[in-house]
Amino acid sequence: MVRNRRRLGAWLLAAVVLVVALVLYDADRTGVGDPKAAPSATPSAALPGPATPASTATQSPSATPSPPAPPGTGEPSPTATATATACTSPGACGYPDANSTGPRIALERHDTGNMSVRKDGTVIKGWDIRGSLDIYANDVTVIDSRITSTNWWGINLRPGYSGLRVLHTTITAVPGKGPDNGGVNYAVSNMGGSSIEVGWCDISVFGNALSMGQGDLHDNYVHDLVAFRNQGGEWQHTDAVISGGGNKGRLTVRHNTLLNPTPVDKGATAAVGLFADTGVVSSVVVEDNWLAGGAYALYAGGPGATGIQVTGNVFSTQYHPAGGAYGPVTAWNAGGAGNVWKNNRMSDGRPVEPAP
C-alpha cells in the first residue's frame, strides 16, 4: 500500500513538472516569434526621425534593386519601377517645357518692327517685341524677353560679328506672315563666324528653329513648328535644330526638348538635322535631349562626318512609334573618326542603335 502511494505521488509530481515545463516553453516561443511581443525592427511611422525612401523601406535585405536608367535617357530600363516608367513626357522626365523656359520677369511692349542692333554690348531685357532683331554688333545679349516676328527670323547674327547670347526668351512668329508666305525661316540664325549661346528659350512656329553650324544650345523647348508653303507652292523643310556642315567650331546641343510635329508630306525633316549642305559635318555634340518627330528624329551627318558624339538621348514615341516617321536616326557614319554613339533609347526603354 505504501509502495503504491509513493508511486502515485511520483507520477503526480512528474505531471506537475511536465505542465510547468510546457508553460515555460510556450512563453519563451511567443516572446521570440510573435510580432506583438517582439520590438519592431523598423521605427514606427508615428515616431520622429528622418523619412525612409519608399524604394528602400520595403526592400528586403536580399533583394536586388532595379538597375538605374542610363544617364540622360529620361526613361528607365524595362526592369525599372512603376514610378519611373510613368515618366512619359519631357517635363515629367526633367526636360525643358513651357514651365522651365521663357522670360522670368514682367515685360514691356516694344513695337520695334524689323530692328537692327549696331552697338557692341547691347542688352535687351524685359522687352515684349513685335518685330525681329538683326544683329550687326558684338556681345549682344537678349534676355527675359519675347519676340513675335513676321520676318524670316526672330534673331539673326550677321557675318563678322560674335558673342550673341539669347537667354530665357520666347521666340515665335505669325504663321504665313513675312516674305514668301513665311518661306524658309529661323528663330535664331548664326551667320557669324563664332559660337553663340541660346539657353532656356521657348521657341515655336519657325520652320528651322535653331540654325547654325556652331553654338551652345541648351535647355531650350522647341515645339509646335508650323508647316509653311512658299509662294511657289512648295512645302519648306522643318527642323527644330539644323546645321549645314562646313563649320569651323563646335556645335553643342545639350538637354533640350526638340519636337517636330509637322507631317512628312508637309515638309518634316528632323528634330536635329546635321546636313552636309555646305561642307562636311564635324565637331557636334548631341547629348541628353528629348527628340521627337520629323522623317527621322536625327540626321546624323552622313558620309565623311567626324567628331559626332550622340549620347544619352531619348527618342520619344509621341508622334511616331519609331521616334521619326521612318525611324529614330539615319545617316550615321559609324566609322568616322571620333564618332560616338552611346546610351540612346526610345522613351519606352528600348535601346536605339543606328542602322549599319
Side-chain angles (χ1 to χ4, degrees):
M1 180 66 71
V2 172
R3 182 180 299 173
N4 290 338
R5 288 176 180 173
R6 289 177 179 173
R7 183 176 298 169
L8 179 60
W11 280 106
L12 290 173
L13 179 61
V16 170
V17 170
L18 179 60
V19 169
V20 170
L22 288 173
V23 170
L24 291 175
Y25 171 78
D26 185 66
D28 182 65
R29 181 181 62 81
T30 302
V32 172
D34 187 351
K36 295 179 182 178
S40 173
T42 304
S44 168
L47 296 177
T52 303
S55 59
T56 58
T58 58
Q59 191 177 73
S60 67
S62 60
T64 301
S66 298
T73 63
E75 285 289 343
S77 67
T79 57
T81 64
T83 299
T85 56
C87 182
T88 56
S89 66
C93 295
Y95 288 95
D97 62 10
N99 295 317
S100 58
T101 56
R104 302 161 295 176
I105 60 176
L107 305 181
E108 178 183 347
R109 179 159 173 164
H110 290 259
D111 293 314
T112 64
N114 301 326
M115 185 175 83
S116 295
V117 178
R118 298 182 180 275
K119 181 180 178 180
D120 289 353
T122 296
V123 175
I124 295 174
K125 182 175 182 179
W127 285 25
D128 184 357
I129 295 171
R130 301 300 196 273
S132 63
L133 300 177
D134 214 2
I135 311 298
Y136 294 87
N138 298 310
D139 302 320
V140 172
T141 298
V142 181
I143 186 169
D144 287 314
S145 296
R146 177 183 176 90
I147 296 173
T148 304
S149 175
T150 56
N151 201 355
W152 267 339
W153 57 79
I155 302 175
N156 184 28
L157 179 65
R158 289 291 181 170
Y161 299 95
S162 63
L164 175 65
R165 303 174 72 217
V166 184
L167 309 173
H168 297 286
T169 292
T170 294
I171 308 172
T172 190
V174 179
K177 296 293 184 180
D180 205 11
N181 292 341
V184 178
N185 52 31
Y186 314 95
V188 181
S189 171
N190 180 10
M191 299 174 68
S194 67
S195 181
I196 70 173
E197 180 184 4
V198 183
W200 303 285
C201 290
D202 182 322
I203 299 170
S204 61
V205 179
F206 287 97
N208 288 304
L210 296 171
S211 173
M212 61 198 68
Q214 51 199 353
D216 180 11
L217 311 179
H218 64 87
D219 301 288
N220 300 293
Y221 176 44
V222 181
H223 60 101
D224 294 309
L225 304 185
V226 174
F228 290 99
R229 176 177 269 165
N230 63 24
Q231 291 176 351
E234 300 171 333
W235 293 104
Q236 77 158 74
H237 293 288
T238 59
D239 304 87
V241 172
I242 185 170
S243 179
N247 52 299
K248 303 299 182 183
R250 179 179 294 274
L251 174 63
T252 300
V253 184
R254 181 178 286 121
H255 198 250
N256 302 277
T257 297
L258 303 173
L259 310 180
N260 186 351
T262 310
V264 174
D265 62 355
K266 294 184 178 180
T269 306
V272 175
L274 307 178
F275 304 111
D277 293 336
T278 57
V280 174
V281 179
S282 63
S283 294
V284 181
V285 173
V286 181
E287 179 183 0
D288 189 24
N289 300 281
W290 180 280
L291 309 175
Y296 290 90
L298 171 64
Y299 279 77
T306 59
I308 314 299
Q309 301 176 32
V310 183
T311 60
N313 297 283
V314 178
F315 291 81
S316 171
T317 61
Q318 67 190 93
Y319 302 128
H320 308 287
Y326 306 132
V329 57
T330 190
W332 173 251
N333 181 20
N339 291 352
V340 176
W341 184 279
K342 185 178 180 182
N343 289 342
N344 299 294
R345 294 185 174 268
M346 300 298 298
S347 55
D348 58 15
R350 291 172 291 152
V352 173
E353 294 295 337

Short mmCIF file of all heavy atoms in Angstrom, two decimals, residues 112-154:
data_model
loop_
_atom_site.label_atom_id
_atom_site.label_comp_id
_atom_site.label_asym_id
_atom_site.label_seq_id
_atom_site.Cartn_x
_atom_site.Cartn_y
_atom_site.Cartn_z
N THR A 112 8.96 97.27 -82.35
CA THR A 112 10.22 97.68 -82.99
C THR A 112 10.17 97.51 -84.50
O THR A 112 10.96 98.15 -85.21
CB THR A 112 11.37 96.82 -82.46
OG1 THR A 112 11.14 95.45 -82.84
CG2 THR A 112 11.49 96.91 -80.95
N GLY A 113 9.30 96.64 -85.01
CA GLY A 113 9.43 96.25 -86.41
C GLY A 113 10.72 95.47 -86.58
O GLY A 113 11.24 94.88 -85.62
N ASN A 114 11.26 95.46 -87.78
CA ASN A 114 12.50 94.72 -88.04
C ASN A 114 13.69 95.60 -87.67
O ASN A 114 14.19 96.37 -88.48
CB ASN A 114 12.55 94.30 -89.51
CG ASN A 114 11.37 93.43 -89.89
OD1 ASN A 114 10.87 92.66 -89.08
ND2 ASN A 114 10.90 93.56 -91.13
N MET A 115 14.13 95.47 -86.42
CA MET A 115 15.11 96.39 -85.86
C MET A 115 16.54 95.86 -86.02
O MET A 115 16.80 94.67 -85.82
CB MET A 115 14.82 96.60 -84.37
CG MET A 115 15.73 97.63 -83.71
SD MET A 115 15.26 97.97 -81.98
CE MET A 115 16.07 96.60 -81.16
N SER A 116 17.48 96.73 -86.34
CA SER A 116 18.90 96.40 -86.40
C SER A 116 19.58 96.87 -85.12
O SER A 116 19.34 97.98 -84.64
CB SER A 116 19.57 97.08 -87.61
OG SER A 116 19.06 96.57 -88.82
N VAL A 117 20.44 96.01 -84.56
CA VAL A 117 21.22 96.35 -83.37
C VAL A 117 22.67 96.53 -83.81
O VAL A 117 23.28 95.60 -84.35
CB VAL A 117 21.11 95.24 -82.31
CG1 VAL A 117 21.97 95.58 -81.09
CG2 VAL A 117 19.66 95.03 -81.91
N ARG A 118 23.22 97.71 -83.56
CA ARG A 118 24.55 98.03 -84.09
C ARG A 118 25.55 98.47 -83.03
O ARG A 118 26.66 98.85 -83.36
CB ARG A 118 24.42 99.12 -85.17
CG ARG A 118 23.57 98.68 -86.35
CD ARG A 118 23.48 99.73 -87.44
NE ARG A 118 22.66 99.27 -88.57
CZ ARG A 118 23.11 98.54 -89.60
NH1 ARG A 118 24.39 98.21 -89.64
NH2 ARG A 118 22.30 98.17 -90.57
N LYS A 119 25.17 98.41 -81.77
CA LYS A 119 26.07 98.83 -80.69
C LYS A 119 26.58 97.60 -79.95
O LYS A 119 25.80 96.80 -79.43
CB LYS A 119 25.35 99.76 -79.73
CG LYS A 119 26.23 100.27 -78.59
CD LYS A 119 25.47 101.20 -77.66
CE LYS A 119 26.35 101.67 -76.51
NZ LYS A 119 25.62 102.57 -75.59
N ASP A 120 27.92 97.49 -79.87
CA ASP A 120 28.50 96.37 -79.14
C ASP A 120 28.05 96.39 -77.68
O ASP A 120 27.93 97.45 -77.05
CB ASP A 120 30.03 96.46 -79.18
CG ASP A 120 30.62 96.16 -80.55
OD1 ASP A 120 29.85 95.75 -81.44
OD2 ASP A 120 31.84 96.33 -80.71
N GLY A 121 27.81 95.20 -77.14
CA GLY A 121 27.46 95.08 -75.73
C GLY A 121 26.03 95.41 -75.41
O GLY A 121 25.66 95.48 -74.22
N THR A 122 25.18 95.61 -76.37
CA THR A 122 23.77 95.93 -76.13
C THR A 122 23.10 94.80 -75.34
O THR A 122 23.30 93.61 -75.64
CB THR A 122 23.02 96.14 -77.45
OG1 THR A 122 23.58 97.28 -78.12
CG2 THR A 122 21.53 96.37 -77.22
N VAL A 123 22.30 95.19 -74.34
CA VAL A 123 21.50 94.22 -73.57
C VAL A 123 20.03 94.58 -73.74
O VAL A 123 19.61 95.70 -73.44
CB VAL A 123 21.88 94.22 -72.08
CG1 VAL A 123 20.96 93.29 -71.29
CG2 VAL A 123 23.33 93.82 -71.90
N ILE A 124 19.26 93.66 -74.23
CA ILE A 124 17.80 93.83 -74.36
C ILE A 124 17.16 92.92 -73.33
O ILE A 124 17.27 91.69 -73.41
CB ILE A 124 17.34 93.48 -75.78
CG1 ILE A 124 17.92 94.49 -76.77
CG2 ILE A 124 15.81 93.46 -75.86
CD1 ILE A 124 17.63 94.16 -78.21
N LYS A 125 16.51 93.53 -72.35
CA LYS A 125 15.94 92.77 -71.24
C LYS A 125 14.54 93.26 -70.92
O LYS A 125 14.30 94.47 -70.82
CB LYS A 125 16.83 92.90 -70.00
CG LYS A 125 16.33 92.09 -68.80
CD LYS A 125 17.31 92.17 -67.64
CE LYS A 125 16.84 91.31 -66.47
NZ LYS A 125 17.80 91.37 -65.33
N GLY A 126 13.61 92.34 -70.78
CA GLY A 126 12.24 92.68 -70.38
C GLY A 126 11.41 93.27 -71.49
O GLY A 126 10.39 93.91 -71.23
N TRP A 127 11.80 93.08 -72.75
CA TRP A 127 11.07 93.62 -73.88
C TRP A 127 10.08 92.59 -74.43
O TRP A 127 10.43 91.42 -74.60
CB TRP A 127 12.03 94.02 -75.00
CG TRP A 127 12.80 95.28 -74.76
CD1 TRP A 127 13.13 95.82 -73.55
CD2 TRP A 127 13.37 96.12 -75.77
NE1 TRP A 127 13.87 96.97 -73.73
CE2 TRP A 127 14.04 97.17 -75.09
CE3 TRP A 127 13.41 96.10 -77.15
CZ2 TRP A 127 14.71 98.19 -75.75
CZ3 TRP A 127 14.08 97.11 -77.83
CH2 TRP A 127 14.71 98.14 -77.14
N ASP A 128 8.90 93.04 -74.74
CA ASP A 128 7.93 92.25 -75.49
C ASP A 128 7.92 92.84 -76.90
O ASP A 128 7.25 93.84 -77.18
CB ASP A 128 6.55 92.33 -74.84
CG ASP A 128 5.52 91.44 -75.53
OD1 ASP A 128 5.86 90.82 -76.55
OD2 ASP A 128 4.38 91.38 -75.04
N ILE A 129 8.68 92.23 -77.79
CA ILE A 129 8.98 92.81 -79.10
C ILE A 129 7.98 92.33 -80.14
O ILE A 129 7.74 91.13 -80.28
CB ILE A 129 10.41 92.45 -79.53
CG1 ILE A 129 11.42 93.08 -78.57
CG2 ILE A 129 10.68 92.87 -80.96
CD1 ILE A 129 12.85 92.61 -78.79
N ARG A 130 7.40 93.28 -80.88
CA ARG A 130 6.65 92.96 -82.09
C ARG A 130 7.55 93.32 -83.26
O ARG A 130 7.62 94.47 -83.69
CB ARG A 130 5.34 93.76 -82.16
CG ARG A 130 4.40 93.54 -80.99
CD ARG A 130 3.98 92.07 -80.88
NE ARG A 130 2.82 91.92 -80.01
CZ ARG A 130 2.85 91.78 -78.70
NH1 ARG A 130 4.02 91.82 -78.08
NH2 ARG A 130 1.75 91.62 -78.00
N GLY A 131 8.29 92.34 -83.74
CA GLY A 131 9.26 92.59 -84.80
C GLY A 131 10.36 91.55 -84.74
O GLY A 131 10.17 90.44 -84.24
N SER A 132 11.55 91.91 -85.23
CA SER A 132 12.69 91.00 -85.24
C SER A 132 13.96 91.78 -84.96
O SER A 132 13.97 93.01 -85.01
CB SER A 132 12.79 90.29 -86.60
OG SER A 132 13.04 91.23 -87.63
N LEU A 133 15.04 91.05 -84.67
CA LEU A 133 16.32 91.67 -84.34
C LEU A 133 17.38 91.20 -85.33
O LEU A 133 17.62 90.00 -85.47
CB LEU A 133 16.74 91.32 -82.91
CG LEU A 133 15.79 91.74 -81.79
CD1 LEU A 133 16.31 91.26 -80.44
CD2 LEU A 133 15.60 93.26 -81.78
N ASP A 134 18.01 92.15 -85.99
CA ASP A 134 19.11 91.89 -86.91
C ASP A 134 20.37 92.42 -86.24
O ASP A 134 20.52 93.63 -86.03
CB ASP A 134 18.84 92.63 -88.23
CG ASP A 134 19.35 91.87 -89.44
OD1 ASP A 134 19.88 90.76 -89.25
OD2 ASP A 134 19.23 92.40 -90.55
N ILE A 135 21.31 91.52 -85.89
CA ILE A 135 22.44 91.89 -85.04
C ILE A 135 23.69 92.18 -85.88
O ILE A 135 24.28 91.27 -86.48
CB ILE A 135 22.74 90.78 -84.01
CG1 ILE A 135 21.45 90.34 -83.30
CG2 ILE A 135 23.79 91.26 -83.02
CD1 ILE A 135 20.76 91.41 -82.51
N TYR A 136 24.09 93.46 -85.89
CA TYR A 136 25.34 93.89 -86.52
C TYR A 136 26.26 94.43 -85.42
O TYR A 136 26.75 95.55 -85.49
CB TYR A 136 25.09 94.99 -87.53
CG TYR A 136 24.28 94.60 -88.74
CD1 TYR A 136 22.89 94.65 -88.73
CD2 TYR A 136 24.91 94.21 -89.93
CE1 TYR A 136 22.14 94.31 -89.85
CE2 TYR A 136 24.16 93.88 -91.06
CZ TYR A 136 22.78 93.92 -91.01
OH TYR A 136 22.04 93.58 -92.12
N ALA A 137 26.52 93.64 -84.41
CA ALA A 137 27.33 94.09 -83.28
C ALA A 137 27.85 92.87 -82.53
O ALA A 137 27.34 91.75 -82.70
CB ALA A 137 26.51 94.99 -82.34
N ASN A 138 28.85 93.10 -81.68
CA ASN A 138 29.43 92.02 -80.88
C ASN A 138 28.86 92.02 -79.47
O ASN A 138 28.48 93.06 -78.93
CB ASN A 138 30.96 92.19 -80.81
CG ASN A 138 31.62 92.10 -82.17
OD1 ASN A 138 31.37 91.17 -82.93
ND2 ASN A 138 32.46 93.09 -82.48
N ASP A 139 28.83 90.83 -78.88
CA ASP A 139 28.50 90.66 -77.46
C ASP A 139 27.12 91.23 -77.11
O ASP A 139 26.94 91.87 -76.06
CB ASP A 139 29.57 91.31 -76.59
CG ASP A 139 30.95 90.72 -76.87
OD1 ASP A 139 31.04 89.49 -77.05
OD2 ASP A 139 31.93 91.50 -76.93
N VAL A 140 26.15 91.00 -77.95
CA VAL A 140 24.77 91.42 -77.68
C VAL A 140 24.07 90.32 -76.87
O VAL A 140 24.25 89.13 -77.14
CB VAL A 140 24.01 91.67 -79.00
CG1 VAL A 140 22.53 91.92 -78.73
CG2 VAL A 140 24.64 92.85 -79.73
N THR A 141 23.28 90.74 -75.87
CA THR A 141 22.53 89.81 -75.04
C THR A 141 21.05 90.14 -75.12
O THR A 141 20.65 91.30 -74.91
CB THR A 141 22.98 89.87 -73.57
OG1 THR A 141 24.36 89.49 -73.48
CG2 THR A 141 22.14 88.95 -72.70
N VAL A 142 20.25 89.14 -75.41
CA VAL A 142 18.79 89.25 -75.34
C VAL A 142 18.34 88.30 -74.25
O VAL A 142 18.57 87.09 -74.33
CB VAL A 142 18.13 88.87 -76.68
CG1 VAL A 142 16.61 89.02 -76.59
CG2 VAL A 142 18.70 89.70 -77.82
N ILE A 143 17.71 88.84 -73.19
CA ILE A 143 17.39 88.03 -72.02
C ILE A 143 16.03 88.42 -71.46
O ILE A 143 15.64 89.59 -71.49
CB ILE A 143 18.51 88.18 -70.95
CG1 ILE A 143 18.26 87.23 -69.77
CG2 ILE A 143 18.65 89.62 -70.48
CD1 ILE A 143 19.44 87.14 -68.81
N ASP A 144 15.30 87.43 -70.97
CA ASP A 144 14.00 87.66 -70.33
C ASP A 144 13.11 88.54 -71.21
O ASP A 144 12.56 89.56 -70.77
CB ASP A 144 14.17 88.29 -68.95
CG ASP A 144 14.71 87.30 -67.93
OD1 ASP A 144 14.20 86.16 -67.89
OD2 ASP A 144 15.65 87.64 -67.19
N SER A 145 12.95 88.13 -72.45
CA SER A 145 12.16 88.91 -73.41
C SER A 145 11.27 87.98 -74.22
O SER A 145 11.31 86.76 -74.08
CB SER A 145 13.08 89.73 -74.32
OG SER A 145 13.80 90.70 -73.57
N ARG A 146 10.47 88.60 -75.09
CA ARG A 146 9.62 87.85 -76.01
C ARG A 146 9.67 88.52 -77.37
O ARG A 146 9.61 89.75 -77.46
CB ARG A 146 8.18 87.81 -75.51
CG ARG A 146 7.21 87.11 -76.47
CD ARG A 146 5.77 87.16 -75.96
NE ARG A 146 4.86 86.57 -76.93
CZ ARG A 146 4.51 85.29 -76.98
NH1 ARG A 146 4.99 84.45 -76.07
NH2 ARG A 146 3.68 84.84 -77.90
N ILE A 147 9.80 87.70 -78.41
CA ILE A 147 9.83 88.20 -79.78
C ILE A 147 8.73 87.53 -80.58
O ILE A 147 8.66 86.30 -80.64
CB ILE A 147 11.20 87.94 -80.43
CG1 ILE A 147 12.29 88.71 -79.69
CG2 ILE A 147 11.18 88.31 -81.91
CD1 ILE A 147 13.69 88.38 -80.17
N THR A 148 7.87 88.33 -81.18
CA THR A 148 6.84 87.83 -82.09
C THR A 148 7.13 88.43 -83.45
O THR A 148 6.94 89.63 -83.67
CB THR A 148 5.44 88.20 -81.61
OG1 THR A 148 5.24 87.70 -80.29
CG2 THR A 148 4.38 87.59 -82.54
N SER A 149 7.60 87.61 -84.38
CA SER A 149 8.15 88.11 -85.64
C SER A 149 7.22 87.83 -86.82
O SER A 149 6.51 86.83 -86.84
CB SER A 149 9.50 87.45 -85.91
OG SER A 149 10.00 87.82 -87.18
N THR A 150 7.26 88.74 -87.79
CA THR A 150 6.65 88.48 -89.09
C THR A 150 7.73 88.55 -90.17
O THR A 150 7.43 88.76 -91.35
CB THR A 150 5.53 89.50 -89.39
OG1 THR A 150 6.05 90.83 -89.31
CG2 THR A 150 4.38 89.34 -88.42
N ASN A 151 8.97 88.35 -89.75
CA ASN A 151 10.10 88.36 -90.67
C ASN A 151 10.58 86.94 -90.89
O ASN A 151 10.04 85.98 -90.34
CB ASN A 151 11.22 89.22 -90.07
CG ASN A 151 12.20 89.71 -91.12
OD1 ASN A 151 12.13 89.36 -92.29
ND2 ASN A 151 13.15 90.53 -90.69
N TRP A 152 11.64 86.77 -91.69
CA TRP A 152 12.21 85.45 -91.89
C TRP A 152 12.91 84.92 -90.65
O TRP A 152 13.23 83.75 -90.56
CB TRP A 152 13.21 85.49 -93.05
CG TRP A 152 12.58 85.15 -94.36
CD1 TRP A 152 11.43 84.46 -94.57
CD2 TRP A 152 13.10 85.48 -95.65
NE1 TRP A 152 11.18 84.34 -95.90
CE2 TRP A 152 12.19 84.96 -96.60
CE3 TRP A 152 14.22 86.18 -96.10
CZ2 TRP A 152 12.39 85.10 -97.98
CZ3 TRP A 152 14.41 86.31 -97.47
CH2 TRP A 152 13.50 85.77 -98.39
N TRP A 153 13.20 85.77 -89.70
CA TRP A 153 13.90 85.35 -88.49
C TRP A 153 13.35 86.08 -87.28
O TRP A 153 12.70 87.11 -87.39
CB TRP A 153 15.41 85.61 -88.61
CG TRP A 153 15.75 87.06 -88.90
CD1 TRP A 153 15.78 88.09 -88.01
CD2 TRP A 153 16.08 87.62 -90.16
NE1 TRP A 153 16.12 89.27 -88.63
CE2 TRP A 153 16.31 89.00 -89.97
CE3 TRP A 153 16.21 87.10 -91.45
CZ2 TRP A 153 16.67 89.85 -91.01
CZ3 TRP A 153 16.58 87.96 -92.49
CH2 TRP A 153 16.79 89.31 -92.25
N GLY A 154 13.65 85.52 -86.11
CA GLY A 154 13.41 86.23 -84.86
C GLY A 154 14.64 87.03 -84.49
O GLY A 154 14.58 88.24 -84.26
#
